[in-house]
Amino acid sequence: MASAELTEAVEPKKKSNVKYASICAILASMASVILGYGTHSFVVVKIYISFCFPRLEIMIGILSVYSLIGSFAGARTSDRIGRRLTVVFAALIFFVGALLMGFAVNYGMLMVGRFVAGVGVGYGGMIAPVYTAEISPAASRGFLTSFPEVFINIGILLGYVSNFAFARLPLHLGWRVMLGIGAAPSALLALMVFFMPESPRWLVMKGRLADARAVLEKTSASPEEAAERLADIKVAAGIPKDLDGDVVTVPKERNGGEMQVWKALIFSPTPVIRRILLSGVGLHFFQQASGSDSVVLYSPSVFKSAGITGDNKLLGVTCAVGVTKTLFILVATFLLDRVGRRPLLLTSAGGMIISLIGLGTGLTVVGHHLDAKIPSAVALCIASTLAFVAFFSIGLGPITGVYNSEIFPLQVRALGYAVGLACNRVTSAVISMTFLSLSKGITIGGSFFLYSGIAAVGWVFFFTCLPETRGRTLEEMGKLFGMPDTDMADADNAAAKEKVVEMPTKEMGGEHNYSALVGSAGNH
């Protein structure tokens, strides 16, 4: 694709009625606090849990594996009982996990609590962006869909603060409070969620058009926009446009519908869909493979290797990492719809490469002078770590979720997001569970040089494969990846031949013509 096609963006239309949608997105994104706190509550806990330290990297990384269970289970739960109640379910699961960890009497019970908490993290990580995307008006999509990432960083910061606040407690009590206190935000979330409306998409899937219309009118800029969004959702749910009423009967999902989605996305995708899938999965992969979890999760080890000693100093510098992450993710939130995805992403990746090289250099110098403390090398390590989390948070961190929620065609969007998230969590688990062993094998400085090389490959991938999506409607995304208008009609004809759908294709247009190819997957 030519460079002009990759970088071209359109100015988003100004909309004023986003207050209600913003409140809904904030409440839903509270579930991401669980993800951030649950994933990073072990960041400095190794200082206190001496009896399980030899297996700490497994305990830290295994949560990403456990969260896969919650992610896929949450997708089914959200379709059955609704998005809002799934948020409650996520909070309750993590609440139980946090209590089990806080009251653990041995390593086995700690791992059981970690498993339960991991499932809750998976539920929260899946439902927050899905609900936010479904409730957000198109003009504010970048701003609102970045909220989950903001709240993940708030959760990380809370993890750092709790570690710092409870560091002076007795050894046998401090780590228990650090882990058990995670039950507090989950309990608060379970109460706050009842102020949220249900997702209009889920309401339409259940035939509750009047309820869906009421929500859309509150989250749209005008009644006309609300009616247009409702019409699109009706078609995606398999409801004819001319069928109206407060409550209607939704056609039951046809046999093989889910398999049609898997076929269209995974087993026999078109070249365009294959490119979209590669872009989404690649973005998730490089977000984790560039070493973000190693920098954040093991920052105490990094700072200790740099020559910073004393628990209070380690915790203080680690808290600075959390503050930096939170501040710069807020900056990114306001730039996504103004500057665009590509400029932020390329700047972010470039800054991460330089920061990783600086961190690797500083740690290597310190490693070669173990008997003498070199202030300049220590300062370089601290500055490089803070620079890394700043560059990550201003681009690659939030854009991964935002971009993946935009680029997939309607009928495969949910599965595409799930596949990308699965790649993200598996890569995260591999990176976090191998960092300590990797640093022993090639030195801790060498580990960050390796991550810088991976980040450099990621920069090339972003530059060549990811077009700009700012200001584009979701229906225009296929064109950005090379899908001409004629392909829409071809897809519609192919769908008719395969008899995937029963309703007349003349009811469909735009993105929905492609949707016919993947059958009844609009329910996902």
Side-chain angles (χ1 to χ4, degrees):
M1 178 174 288
S3 176
E5 292 176 312
L6 284 171
T7 58
E8 182 182 2
V10 296
E11 190 68 24
K13 297 180 181 179
K14 301 296 182 182
K15 301 287 184 178
S16 58
N17 187 23
V18 297
K19 292 182 179 179
Y20 187 76
S22 298
I23 294 173
C24 296
I26 289 172
L27 292 177
S29 298
M30 282 288 293
S32 296
V33 174
I34 295 175
L35 175 59
Y37 188 90
T39 305
H40 294 78
S41 58
F42 271 82
V43 170
V44 296
V45 85
K46 68 179 183 182
I47 299 173
Y48 305 97
I49 311 181
S50 57
F51 67 85
C52 65
F53 176 71
R55 291 167 286 179
L56 182 64
E57 66 176 358
I58 296 177
M59 185 174 292
I60 289 177
I62 201 66
L63 185 135
S64 294
V65 178
Y66 294 155
S67 67
L68 291 177
I69 301 174
S71 297
F72 288 105
R76 294 181 61 85
T77 302
S78 65
D79 282 340
R80 293 190 176 187
I81 67 175
R83 312 315 196 208
R84 188 174 66 165
L85 290 180
T86 301
V87 176
V88 178
F89 201 45
L92 293 177
I93 294 174
F94 188 81
F95 180 84
V96 174
L99 291 182
L100 286 173
M101 289 188 292
F103 290 99
V105 296
N106 52 43
Y107 183 82
M109 186 174 177
L110 201 59
M111 284 296 288
V112 171
R114 193 69 168 162
F115 169 77
V116 176
V119 174
V121 164
Y123 265 88
M126 182 283 304
I127 194 59
V130 169
Y131 177 89
T132 303
E134 291 183 350
I135 204 76
S136 300
S140 306
R141 190 177 63 239
F143 175 68
L144 296 181
T145 53
S146 66
F147 279 15
E149 183 68 21
V150 173
F151 279 79
I152 287 175
N153 283 271
I154 292 176
I156 294 172
L157 180 59
L158 288 176
Y160 289 144
V161 171
S162 69
N163 284 323
F164 186 81
F166 302 120
R168 293 168 180 82
L169 293 176
L171 183 62
H172 69 281
L173 184 61
W175 67 268
R176 295 182 185 278
V177 178
M178 290 178 189
L179 299 179
I181 199 67
S186 58
L188 179 62
L189 172 61
L191 295 175
M192 294 178 63
V193 75
F194 291 103
F195 294 96
M196 294 163 46
E198 183 53 84
S199 159
R201 180 181 179 87
W202 185 83
L203 291 171
V204 172
M205 287 168 55
K206 299 302 179 182
R208 297 163 55 182
L209 300 187
D211 293 337
R213 188 181 296 109
V215 177
L216 289 170
E217 287 176 352
K218 292 180 179 180
T219 59
S220 300
S222 64
E224 291 76 17
E225 182 187 350
E228 182 180 351
R229 291 175 66 189
L230 180 61
D232 288 340
I233 297 172
K234 284 171 61 179
V235 172
I239 302 174
K241 288 185 177 180
D242 57 357
L243 181 61
D244 204 357
D246 290 345
V247 180
V248 300
T249 301
V250 180
K252 293 183 178 180
E253 187 180 28
R254 287 166 287 274
N255 293 331
E258 186 172 349
M259 287 305 301
Q260 290 295 337
V261 182
W262 280 89
K263 179 181 178 182
L265 184 68
I266 305 297
F267 300 124
S268 58
T270 65
V272 172
I273 298 302
R274 188 181 299 114
R275 183 185 170 194
I276 292 174
L277 179 62
L278 175 64
S279 299
V281 171
L283 190 53
H284 273 291
F285 171 78
F286 284 111
Q287 185 199 53
Q288 295 299 331
S290 56
S292 59
D293 275 356
S294 294
V295 174
V296 176
L297 289 173
Y298 294 100
S299 54
S301 295
V302 173
F303 293 136
K304 192 172 182 179
S305 298
I308 300 175
T309 58
D311 290 350
N312 288 335
K313 290 182 179 179
L314 285 173
L315 290 170
V317 180
T318 303
C319 285
V321 172
V323 171
T324 302
K325 258 183 137 288
T326 304
L327 289 177
F328 278 89
I329 193 67
L330 291 174
V331 173
T333 297
F334 291 98
L335 293 179
L336 276 167
D337 287 325
R338 297 182 181 183
V339 176
R341 283 55 156 165
R342 258 177 75 89
L344 285 178
L345 188 60
L346 294 175
T347 301
S348 171
M352 288 166 58
I353 295 169
I354 297 173
S355 301
L356 287 168
I357 292 174
L359 183 56
T361 301
L363 290 170
T364 300
V365 171
V366 171
H368 288 161
H369 300 81
L370 296 176
D371 297 331
K373 194 171 184 178
I374 304 177
S376 59
V378 175
L380 178 61
C381 291
I382 296 174
S384 296
T385 301
L386 295 179
F388 177 88
V389 297
F391 279 112
F392 177 83
S393 298
I394 207 171
L396 190 55
I399 288 175
T400 299
V402 172
Y403 204 86
N404 270 266
S405 69
E406 295 176 328
I407 60 176
F408 289 97
L410 176 64
Q411 303 299 339
V412 296
R413 190 168 295 141
L415 180 60
Y417 192 94
V419 171
L421 184 61
C423 175
N424 186 294
R425 292 296 85 202
V426 170
T427 307
S428 173
V430 172
I431 294 297
S432 58
M433 287 193 293
T434 59
F435 175 72
L436 294 180
S437 301
L438 181 66
S439 62
K440 291 179 181 178
I442 62 174
T443 74
I444 190 169
S447 299
F448 290 107
F449 284 130
L450 175 62
Y451 293 144
S452 69
I454 296 174
V457 176
W459 191 96
V460 175
F461 175 82
F462 303 149
F463 182 81
T464 57
C465 298
L466 304 186
E468 179 60 67
T469 60
R470 181 177 71 97
R472 300 282 186 174
T473 66
L474 295 180
E475 291 75 19
E476 293 176 317
M477 295 300 170
K479 297 179 182 179
L480 294 178
F481 287 89
M483 181 183 291
D485 292 335
T486 54
D487 281 1
M488 300 294 184
D490 293 340
D492 184 55
N493 292 333
K497 291 179 181 179
E498 294 184 14
K499 297 181 180 180
V500 174
V501 295
E502 298 173 1
M503 59 184 296
T505 55
K506 66 181 181 180
E507 298 279 1
M508 303 182 181
E511 183 183 22
H512 302 297
N513 283 338
Y514 170 76
S515 300
L517 181 62
V518 293
S520 60
N523 290 339
H524 294 276

